[in-house]
Amino acid sequence: MMWNGRWLNKTLLGYWVVIAACWAAAVVAGWTVPSSQFDNYVYDLMLRLNPPGDQNPEAVVLAIDDATLNEMGGQRNLRGILAEAIQLARRAEPTVLASDVLIADQGDAAEDARLEEALTGAKNLILPVDTTISGGGGERWEEPLERFRKHAQAAGQVELARQRRDGVTRRISLEWVAGHRRYWALSLEAFRLSLGAGRILESRDEIEVGDVVIPARLTADYHRMLWIRYGRRPVPALSVRDLKADPSRGQLLRGKVVFVGVTSQSLTPDRVLTPNGDSMSGVDVHAEAFETMRRGLFLQDASDSAVLGFCAATALLAGLIFWFTAGWPAYLSAAALLAFVHTAPFPFFAHGVIFPYVAPAASAWLTVAAAASYQHFIIRRRLRLAVAEKTRYQQAIHFVTHEMRTPLTAIQGSSELMGRYNLGEDKRKQMAGLIHSESKRLGRMIQTFLDVERLSDGQMDLKREPVPLEAAVEACLARARPLAERKSILIRGDGPFPGTILGDGELIEYAIYNLVNNAVKYSPSGTEVKIFSAQKKGGVSLSVADQGIGMDAKEVKQIFRKFYRTKRAEATGEAGTGIGLSIVEQIVATHGGQLEVTSEPGRGSCFTVTFPVAGEGDHR
Ligand code: ADP
């Protein structure tokens, strides 16, 4: 097939538009909730595949568990238990003592006094704050009572709930703002005190504690998210009850960062799930977050532009693969691309970057599918065009050989007679005249054929000369008469034929002649063919009516198809190539005219062409 430049450009453009659309669709799909849920599952898998090395944890949880509550007076004595836990822990001299038990409201006077006593003089003590919805609907802080607060080095935020979507706590926020006050997370404060650092420095993208830089960008809602690198085993825990029963166990807490909190299954409603599938209480999560920071195992989300760029690159690659290769090489390369896209997030994760899974995968799959089907479609189209081209060519050859045989036979016959016999002057002149006119007809035929070919190819501009209808009709009738006379058919030109058509005289004549010739061909002898004209709005019509074999409605629908001939016509032995009417239709159409047929089997047909007539201004 010829690669027509314009077609190629259009195909190329269409191809890349489809690829770009797939890319955009994939990126948008990547933002939907189900996609991010799936991204989360892949994240969990990657986290499990990349456990932090089992270094000695620095955090220990001092747990107020079910056993502790059972033995030490239950929830009602929580403040008493806390006081005792802190007292016991302090004896072991931990580096930091962070409590997760809220003490924002007044309790039993004796218990509060006990607790205050336990807190007095504590080193590196952190007390919890939490937000609550105030009466006005806004958020406000629940801070420890001042009598407790004054003994603490810092207060840290302990809320987790808002970081959970599917029940799995993957991240916590290091920063919380409510009612114009900001608190850092309990775990971050514990980390700061464990380093002996002063202020926490902050920029838009990170915070700095001591000389540790934590990548945690400030979000639009004033949070800084930290991905928690849960260890293979949870941070070690010691039950308050066990510590009380055997104070020597306090050794476990020496020099450690101790998180005191309630881990009781029955008392902590906000137990959370970890990506490892463990169930934890809030205090455990704080300890894990602290360990993440201490080990410096920070994970960062890939930037939006990196994700978009990566998706675009996969789309581009898919497009290039199917543009430049085909068949097995294309499918193998596409498979390699898909495999790469599906595995790419894993090495990224190992380097601390969290890459989404769905968007690039969707982008690769969609673009590969689109590119493959586009290619399939192009190949099929090329094949179809090639086949059509070949049939057209064969049919054209058929037409040419068939149509040209008649004049050629006449020329051959006449020239042979002239050569073989000594003819009289008159006869010789007649023969020469015949040869001349037949060869001219042959020439005209070739010209018409070529013109029509070029016309249908769109390569030729239509000639626009004034063609008087009268002259064109007369010429056609003169040409058709000999055949009509041979069949004893009367051709009646019911003139006048007024009007001038703007167009190509040769082609118009070809069209009219064809209709008249068909009328004669498909009529039995003794009948009449009538040609008449009528004025129409904005044009002139010319009708050719015969009393011949006619056609039924089904046949009429088909006759303008190239190479179609009715059975009826074939039976007469007159049928030609079946191409004439298709050319007539084309000629009429290119002249802005119309072609109509009415016909009835056995009664005759009437073909009417309507041409727009040239207005005065159209004469050039
Ligand atoms: P052909 O060379 O076969 O005449 P055309 O394209 O001119 O090719 O005509 C197509 C077919 O339409 C003819 O084969 C014939 O069956 C039918 N047809 C055309 N003109 C007439 C007519 N005046 N009366 C009956 N049938 C006709």
Side-chain angles (χ1 to χ4, degrees):
M1 191 211 61
M2 283 280 295
W3 274 76
N4 172 308
R6 236 175 45 207
W7 185 76
L8 179 68
N9 277 345
K10 251 168 71 185
T11 316
L12 188 73
L13 184 74
Y15 183 72
W16 288 109
V17 164
V18 168
I19 299 273
C22 289
W23 164 75
V27 169
V28 171
W31 274 322
T32 58
V33 173
S35 297
S36 55
Q37 193 54 52
F38 198 84
D39 284 341
N40 280 338
Y41 293 143
V42 178
Y43 168 85
D44 295 350
L45 177 67
M46 294 192 292
L47 192 77
R48 265 175 262 151
L49 290 176
N50 291 279
D54 259 325
Q55 301 163 32
N56 264 348
E58 200 179 315
V60 180
V61 172
L62 184 54
I64 302 173
D65 55 2
D66 283 318
T68 307
L69 286 169
N70 280 344
E71 276 187 25
M72 298 173 69
Q75 191 190 354
R76 284 176 49 216
N77 187 33
L78 193 55
R79 223 160 259 198
I81 297 173
L82 179 66
E84 202 160 347
I86 286 175
Q87 237 155 17
L88 286 166
R90 280 182 62 186
R91 266 184 231 145
E93 294 183 0
T95 335
V96 177
L97 189 54
S99 166
D100 179 40
V101 183
L102 285 169
I103 38 178
D105 44 12
Q106 227 148 10
D108 175 79
E111 273 179 11
D112 280 357
R114 252 193 85 196
L115 181 58
E116 192 182 346
E117 192 193 318
L119 297 177
T120 312
K123 208 181 104 211
N124 283 350
L125 175 73
I126 309 169
L127 292 180
V129 291
D130 196 0
T131 55
T132 184
I133 305 299
S134 65
E139 268 186 328
R140 66 174 174 79
W141 287 111
E142 274 197 335
E143 288 159 322
L145 296 178
E146 187 46 36
R147 63 189 290 197
F148 304 136
R149 174 69 179 89
K150 66 179 185 220
H151 300 292
Q153 208 80 45
Q157 146 70 24
V158 292
E159 165 98 42
L160 295 175
R162 255 167 285 175
Q163 284 98 60
R164 275 183 283 158
R165 255 215 204 126
D166 55 354
V168 178
T169 300
R170 299 178 179 87
R171 311 186 287 172
I172 59 156
S173 177
L174 295 179
E175 178 174 346
W176 286 75
V177 175
H180 304 297
R181 258 204 97 163
R182 190 257 310 270
Y183 277 102
W184 298 111
L186 184 78
S187 50
L188 179 60
E189 288 289 15
F191 182 51
R192 177 175 70 87
L193 293 183
S194 78
L195 292 178
R199 256 169 54 84
I200 293 171
L201 302 176
E202 55 191 301
S203 71
R204 194 177 59 106
D205 289 337
E206 49 204 24
I207 50 185
E208 213 180 314
V209 188
D211 50 11
V212 178
V213 175
I214 303 172
R217 168 174 300 197
L218 190 63
T219 61
D221 53 352
Y222 300 104
H223 285 301
R224 291 177 187 270
M225 305 311 285
L226 173 83
W227 293 94
I228 304 173
R229 295 293 289 262
Y230 290 95
R232 228 193 280 266
R233 273 175 286 143
V235 166
L238 176 63
S239 159
V240 176
R241 186 203 73 153
D242 291 352
L243 181 60
K244 189 183 172 195
D246 178 3
S248 72
R249 288 180 196 243
Q251 282 309 319
L252 270 174
L253 310 181
R254 189 165 301 278
K256 299 280 184 179
V257 174
V258 175
F259 289 86
V260 188
V262 180
T263 63
S264 151
Q265 303 265 0
S266 52
L267 215 65
T268 33
D270 68 333
R271 290 188 76 78
V272 296
L273 269 175
T274 74
N276 294 335
D278 301 326
S279 154
M280 285 188 173
S281 52
V283 65
D284 297 313
V285 177
H286 299 316
E288 294 283 351
F290 166 83
E291 280 297 319
T292 302
M293 289 183 264
R294 184 188 68 83
R295 292 180 178 134
L297 295 174
F298 301 117
L299 290 171
Q300 254 176 303
D301 285 300
S303 71
D304 285 349
S305 55
V307 176
L308 283 180
F310 186 70
C311 292
T314 57
L316 186 74
L317 258 171
L320 289 176
I321 287 173
F322 283 95
W323 189 258
F324 287 112
T325 57
W328 280 114
Y331 291 119
L332 281 179
S333 315
L337 175 69
L338 289 172
F340 170 73
V341 166
H342 280 285
T343 48
F346 292 82
F348 273 122
F349 188 94
H351 288 95
V353 178
I354 302 167
F355 223 82
Y357 192 76
V358 174
S363 167
W365 276 103
L366 276 180
T367 49
V368 161
S373 25
Y374 209 98
Q375 197 200 45
H376 183 73
F377 161 77
I378 288 176
I379 287 176
R380 279 209 10 213
R381 194 186 138 126
R382 266 190 240 167
L383 208 70
R384 227 180 36 235
L385 282 177
V387 169
E389 188 84 355
K390 199 172 153 211
T391 357
R392 220 178 81 86
Y393 183 73
Q394 281 171 345
Q395 288 169 343
I397 293 289
H398 187 85
F399 167 74
V400 170
T401 48
H402 190 274
E403 288 295 295
M404 294 182 180
R405 201 170 293 151
T406 327
L408 268 179
T409 315
I411 292 170
Q412 270 170 7
S414 309
S415 55
E416 207 178 322
L417 283 179
M418 282 169 78
R420 193 174 291 179
Y421 304 105
N422 219 349
L423 300 172
E425 182 66 9
D426 281 357
K427 198 70 187 166
R428 212 176 48 83
K429 264 199 180 142
Q430 193 196 341
M431 294 273 159
L434 189 67
I435 291 176
H436 184 70
S437 68
E438 285 302 306
S439 55
K440 259 174 87 179
R441 198 175 124 202
L442 203 56
R444 251 202 329 270
M445 232 155 84
I446 292 171
Q447 190 54 47
T448 311
F449 180 70
L450 289 180
D451 286 355
V452 169
E453 280 295 289
R454 272 182 282 152
L455 209 62
S456 61
D457 247 13
Q459 290 177 11
M460 197 178 81
D461 287 333
L462 193 68
K463 260 198 242 160
R464 288 179 71 80
E465 60 198 9
V467 182
L469 189 59
E470 183 89 47
V473 172
E474 286 307 332
C476 291
L477 295 191
R479 267 171 71 192
R481 260 187 194 116
L483 177 65
E485 272 161 23
R486 232 178 297 150
K487 289 184 74 175
S488 316
I489 289 173
L490 177 70
I491 297 193
R492 241 178 56 203
D494 258 0
F497 303 100
T500 302
I501 304 158
L502 211 56
D504 187 318
E506 289 274 344
L507 295 181
I508 291 173
E509 209 178 300
Y510 180 92
I512 298 171
Y513 173 71
N514 238 276
L515 297 181
V516 179
N517 195 42
N518 275 351
V520 174
K521 264 177 16 186
Y522 301 120
S523 294
S525 54
T527 56
E528 200 181 88
V529 172
K530 203 167 101 175
I531 294 105
F532 54 93
S533 160
Q535 295 293 328
K536 292 258 168 96
K537 217 165 83 187
V540 58
S541 75
L542 184 77
S543 301
V544 180
D546 62 47
Q547 300 166 334
I549 58 172
M551 292 165 281
D552 61 27
K554 244 164 99 188
E555 289 167 337
V556 168
K557 272 201 196 126
Q558 307 259 36
I559 52 174
F560 297 108
R561 269 183 33 209
K562 265 186 193 161
F563 310 106
Y564 175 82
R565 301 178 301 203
T566 62
K567 290 254 159 14
R568 229 184 289 276
E570 273 172 351
T572 63
E574 299 267 14
T577 50
I579 205 171
L581 281 182
S582 74
I583 294 176
V584 170
E585 193 190 33
Q586 184 130 27
I587 292 173
V588 173
T590 43
H591 281 84
Q594 267 174 349
L595 183 52
E596 282 159 87
V597 191
T598 55
S599 188
E600 211 178 306
R603 307 206 55 170
S605 319
C606 180
F607 285 77
T608 302
V609 276
T610 311
F611 287 111
V613 285
E616 283 305 306
D618 284 341
H619 287 281
R620 264 182 283 169

mmCIF file of all heavy atoms in Angstrom, residues 563-587:
data_model
loop_
_atom_site.group_PDB
_atom_site.id
_atom_site.type_symbol
_atom_site.label_atom_id
_atom_site.label_comp_id
_atom_site.label_asym_id
_atom_site.label_seq_id
_atom_site.Cartn_x
_atom_site.Cartn_y
_atom_site.Cartn_z
ATOM 1 N N PHE A 563 -19.664 -2.500 -11.357
ATOM 2 C CA PHE A 563 -19.680 -3.878 -11.851
ATOM 3 C C PHE A 563 -20.948 -4.639 -11.520
ATOM 4 O O PHE A 563 -21.003 -5.849 -11.602
ATOM 5 C CB PHE A 563 -18.460 -4.673 -11.354
ATOM 6 C CG PHE A 563 -17.188 -3.946 -11.595
ATOM 7 C CD1 PHE A 563 -16.499 -3.356 -10.560
ATOM 8 C CD2 PHE A 563 -16.690 -3.823 -12.883
ATOM 9 C CE1 PHE A 563 -15.338 -2.657 -10.792
ATOM 10 C CE2 PHE A 563 -15.531 -3.115 -13.117
ATOM 11 C CZ PHE A 563 -14.844 -2.529 -12.070
ATOM 12 N N TYR A 564 -22.000 -3.886 -11.115
ATOM 13 C CA TYR A 564 -23.258 -4.591 -10.869
ATOM 14 C C TYR A 564 -24.080 -4.642 -12.154
ATOM 15 O O TYR A 564 -24.208 -3.654 -12.859
ATOM 16 C CB TYR A 564 -24.063 -3.907 -9.761
ATOM 17 C CG TYR A 564 -25.421 -4.542 -9.584
ATOM 18 C CD1 TYR A 564 -25.564 -5.696 -8.820
ATOM 19 C CD2 TYR A 564 -26.541 -4.019 -10.229
ATOM 20 C CE1 TYR A 564 -26.800 -6.303 -8.693
ATOM 21 C CE2 TYR A 564 -27.780 -4.625 -10.101
ATOM 22 C CZ TYR A 564 -27.900 -5.776 -9.329
ATOM 23 O OH TYR A 564 -29.123 -6.370 -9.220
ATOM 24 N N ARG A 565 -24.618 -5.798 -12.456
ATOM 25 C CA ARG A 565 -25.520 -5.954 -13.603
ATOM 26 C C ARG A 565 -26.699 -6.789 -13.161
ATOM 27 O O ARG A 565 -26.545 -7.734 -12.401
ATOM 28 C CB ARG A 565 -24.797 -6.649 -14.761
ATOM 29 C CG ARG A 565 -23.575 -5.861 -15.202
ATOM 30 C CD ARG A 565 -22.849 -6.548 -16.284
ATOM 31 N NE ARG A 565 -22.403 -7.871 -15.898
ATOM 32 C CZ ARG A 565 -21.392 -8.494 -16.476
ATOM 33 N NH1 ARG A 565 -20.751 -7.925 -17.470
ATOM 34 N NH2 ARG A 565 -21.030 -9.684 -16.089
ATOM 35 N N THR A 566 -27.887 -6.440 -13.638
ATOM 36 C CA THR A 566 -29.055 -7.235 -13.236
ATOM 37 C C THR A 566 -29.092 -8.508 -14.084
ATOM 38 O O THR A 566 -28.550 -8.553 -15.195
ATOM 39 C CB THR A 566 -30.368 -6.445 -13.465
ATOM 40 O OG1 THR A 566 -30.483 -6.184 -14.863
ATOM 41 C CG2 THR A 566 -30.373 -5.129 -12.723
ATOM 42 N N LYS A 567 -29.729 -9.506 -13.509
ATOM 43 C CA LYS A 567 -29.899 -10.788 -14.224
ATOM 44 C C LYS A 567 -30.670 -10.542 -15.520
ATOM 45 O O LYS A 567 -30.400 -11.100 -16.568
ATOM 46 C CB LYS A 567 -30.694 -11.766 -13.354
ATOM 47 C CG LYS A 567 -29.917 -12.252 -12.141
ATOM 48 C CD LYS A 567 -29.464 -13.667 -12.349
ATOM 49 C CE LYS A 567 -28.310 -14.112 -11.487
ATOM 50 N NZ LYS A 567 -27.898 -13.351 -10.349
ATOM 51 N N ARG A 568 -31.663 -9.649 -15.343
ATOM 52 C CA ARG A 568 -32.524 -9.275 -16.461
ATOM 53 C C ARG A 568 -31.669 -8.772 -17.630
ATOM 54 O O ARG A 568 -31.860 -9.174 -18.769
ATOM 55 C CB ARG A 568 -33.431 -8.135 -15.981
ATOM 56 C CG ARG A 568 -34.891 -8.302 -16.262
ATOM 57 C CD ARG A 568 -35.612 -7.046 -15.800
ATOM 58 N NE ARG A 568 -35.639 -6.970 -14.327
ATOM 59 C CZ ARG A 568 -36.562 -7.595 -13.601
ATOM 60 N NH1 ARG A 568 -37.489 -8.320 -14.183
ATOM 61 N NH2 ARG A 568 -36.554 -7.493 -12.290
ATOM 62 N N ALA A 569 -30.735 -7.885 -17.333
ATOM 63 C CA ALA A 569 -29.905 -7.282 -18.381
ATOM 64 C C ALA A 569 -28.991 -8.333 -18.986
ATOM 65 O O ALA A 569 -28.760 -8.356 -20.190
ATOM 66 C CB ALA A 569 -29.088 -6.135 -17.805
ATOM 67 N N GLU A 570 -28.465 -9.216 -18.129
ATOM 68 C CA GLU A 570 -27.561 -10.241 -18.639
ATOM 69 C C GLU A 570 -28.276 -11.152 -19.632
ATOM 70 O O GLU A 570 -27.698 -11.585 -20.628
ATOM 71 C CB GLU A 570 -26.956 -11.033 -17.480
ATOM 72 C CG GLU A 570 -25.699 -10.338 -16.978
ATOM 73 C CD GLU A 570 -25.145 -10.948 -15.713
ATOM 74 O OE1 GLU A 570 -25.827 -11.810 -15.114
ATOM 75 O OE2 GLU A 570 -24.042 -10.550 -15.333
ATOM 76 N N ALA A 571 -29.576 -11.399 -19.354
ATOM 77 C CA ALA A 571 -30.342 -12.279 -20.227
ATOM 78 C C ALA A 571 -30.501 -11.694 -21.631
ATOM 79 O O ALA A 571 -30.646 -12.426 -22.610
ATOM 80 C CB ALA A 571 -31.716 -12.549 -19.604
ATOM 81 N N THR A 572 -30.454 -10.367 -21.734
ATOM 82 C CA THR A 572 -30.613 -9.754 -23.052
ATOM 83 C C THR A 572 -29.354 -9.906 -23.901
ATOM 84 O O THR A 572 -29.387 -9.691 -25.104
ATOM 85 C CB THR A 572 -30.902 -8.239 -22.941
ATOM 86 O OG1 THR A 572 -29.763 -7.624 -22.321
ATOM 87 C CG2 THR A 572 -32.142 -7.952 -22.121
ATOM 88 N N GLY A 573 -28.239 -10.245 -23.233
ATOM 89 C CA GLY A 573 -26.981 -10.364 -23.959
ATOM 90 C C GLY A 573 -26.354 -9.008 -24.257
ATOM 91 O O GLY A 573 -25.332 -8.909 -24.918
ATOM 92 N N GLU A 574 -26.977 -7.951 -23.744
ATOM 93 C CA GLU A 574 -26.473 -6.607 -24.020
ATOM 94 C C GLU A 574 -25.613 -6.070 -22.883
ATOM 95 O O GLU A 574 -24.903 -5.082 -23.050
ATOM 96 C CB GLU A 574 -27.655 -5.643 -24.220
ATOM 97 C CG GLU A 574 -28.562 -5.997 -25.369
ATOM 98 C CD GLU A 574 -28.147 -5.268 -26.648
ATOM 99 O OE1 GLU A 574 -27.027 -4.717 -26.691
ATOM 100 O OE2 GLU A 574 -28.940 -5.259 -27.596
ATOM 101 N N ALA A 575 -25.750 -6.702 -21.724
ATOM 102 C CA ALA A 575 -25.109 -6.144 -20.526
ATOM 103 C C ALA A 575 -23.612 -5.947 -20.746
ATOM 104 O O ALA A 575 -22.952 -6.748 -21.387
ATOM 105 C CB ALA A 575 -25.342 -7.050 -19.331
ATOM 106 N N GLY A 576 -23.130 -4.851 -20.211
ATOM 107 C CA GLY A 576 -21.714 -4.526 -20.364
ATOM 108 C C GLY A 576 -20.943 -4.879 -19.113
ATOM 109 O O GLY A 576 -21.172 -5.935 -18.505
ATOM 110 N N THR A 577 -20.077 -3.938 -18.717
ATOM 111 C CA THR A 577 -19.208 -4.212 -17.561
ATOM 112 C C THR A 577 -19.872 -3.843 -16.255
ATOM 113 O O THR A 577 -19.400 -4.196 -15.192
ATOM 114 C CB THR A 577 -17.920 -3.401 -17.671
ATOM 115 O OG1 THR A 577 -18.291 -2.052 -17.930
ATOM 116 C CG2 THR A 577 -17.048 -3.914 -18.780
ATOM 117 N N GLY A 578 -20.945 -3.074 -16.340
ATOM 118 C CA GLY A 578 -21.602 -2.669 -15.097
ATOM 119 C C GLY A 578 -20.895 -1.523 -14.409
ATOM 120 O O GLY A 578 -21.102 -1.266 -13.223
ATOM 121 N N ILE A 579 -20.059 -0.815 -15.156
ATOM 122 C CA ILE A 579 -19.310 0.267 -14.513
ATOM 123 C C ILE A 579 -19.862 1.623 -14.924
ATOM 124 O O ILE A 579 -19.679 2.621 -14.239
ATOM 125 C CB ILE A 579 -17.815 0.146 -14.876
ATOM 126 C CG1 ILE A 579 -16.970 0.809 -13.786
ATOM 127 C CG2 ILE A 579 -17.506 0.769 -16.227
ATOM 128 C CD1 ILE A 579 -15.502 0.534 -13.966
ATOM 129 N N GLY A 580 -20.586 1.635 -16.064
ATOM 130 C CA GLY A 580 -21.046 2.894 -16.650
ATOM 131 C C GLY A 580 -21.803 3.777 -15.665
ATOM 132 O O GLY A 580 -21.470 4.945 -15.479
ATOM 133 N N LEU A 581 -22.817 3.215 -14.994
ATOM 134 C CA LEU A 581 -23.656 4.037 -14.121
ATOM 135 C C LEU A 581 -22.893 4.562 -12.911
ATOM 136 O O LEU A 581 -23.167 5.643 -12.426
ATOM 137 C CB LEU A 581 -24.882 3.242 -13.666
ATOM 138 C CG LEU A 581 -26.013 3.133 -14.695
ATOM 139 C CD1 LEU A 581 -27.180 2.364 -14.100
ATOM 140 C CD2 LEU A 581 -26.469 4.513 -15.152
ATOM 141 N N SER A 582 -21.926 3.777 -12.434
ATOM 142 C CA SER A 582 -21.156 4.259 -11.289
ATOM 143 C C SER A 582 -20.359 5.498 -11.694
ATOM 144 O O SER A 582 -20.197 6.435 -10.915
ATOM 145 C CB SER A 582 -20.241 3.161 -10.745
ATOM 146 O OG SER A 582 -19.159 2.957 -11.601
ATOM 147 N N ILE A 583 -19.888 5.499 -12.943
ATOM 148 C CA ILE A 583 -19.164 6.670 -13.427
ATOM 149 C C ILE A 583 -20.125 7.835 -13.614
ATOM 150 O O ILE A 583 -19.842 8.966 -13.223
ATOM 151 C CB ILE A 583 -18.430 6.339 -14.751
ATOM 152 C CG1 ILE A 583 -17.333 5.303 -14.473
ATOM 153 C CG2 ILE A 583 -17.840 7.590 -15.364
ATOM 154 C CD1 ILE A 583 -16.610 4.838 -15.710
ATOM 155 N N VAL A 584 -21.316 7.533 -14.161
ATOM 156 C CA VAL A 584 -22.320 8.586 -14.350
ATOM 157 C C VAL A 584 -22.624 9.243 -13.007
ATOM 158 O O VAL A 584 -22.633 10.465 -12.872
ATOM 159 C CB VAL A 584 -23.616 7.993 -14.963
ATOM 160 C CG1 VAL A 584 -24.732 9.024 -14.942
ATOM 161 C CG2 VAL A 584 -23.359 7.504 -16.379
ATOM 162 N N GLU A 585 -22.835 8.416 -12.013
ATOM 163 C CA GLU A 585 -23.184 8.947 -10.697
ATOM 164 C C GLU A 585 -22.079 9.866 -10.170
ATOM 165 O O GLU A 585 -22.322 10.936 -9.630
ATOM 166 C CB GLU A 585 -23.416 7.798 -9.712
ATOM 167 C CG GLU A 585 -24.090 8.300 -8.455
ATOM 168 C CD GLU A 585 -24.132 7.259 -7.359
ATOM 169 O OE1 GLU A 585 -23.183 6.450 -7.279
ATOM 170 O OE2 GLU A 585 -25.098 7.251 -6.603
ATOM 171 N N GLN A 586 -20.849 9.403 -10.366
ATOM 172 C CA GLN A 586 -19.701 10.173 -9.906
ATOM 173 C C GLN A 586 -19.620 11.525 -10.632
ATOM 174 O O GLN A 586 -19.396 12.559 -10.021
ATOM 175 C CB GLN A 586 -18.436 9.383 -10.207
ATOM 176 C CG GLN A 586 -17.204 10.055 -9.673
ATOM 177 C CD GLN A 586 -16.402 9.055 -8.889
ATOM 178 O OE1 GLN A 586 -16.479 7.857 -9.161
ATOM 179 N NE2 GLN A 586 -15.668 9.507 -7.928
ATOM 180 N N ILE A 587 -19.832 11.477 -11.933
ATOM 181 C CA ILE A 587 -19.774 12.712 -12.725
ATOM 182 C C ILE A 587 -20.858 13.679 -12.266
ATOM 183 O O ILE A 587 -20.600 14.853 -12.032
ATOM 184 C CB ILE A 587 -19.942 12.395 -14.231
ATOM 185 C CG1 ILE A 587 -18.717 11.627 -14.731
ATOM 186 C CG2 ILE A 587 -20.123 13.673 -15.032
ATOM 187 C CD1 ILE A 587 -18.843 11.110 -16.148
#
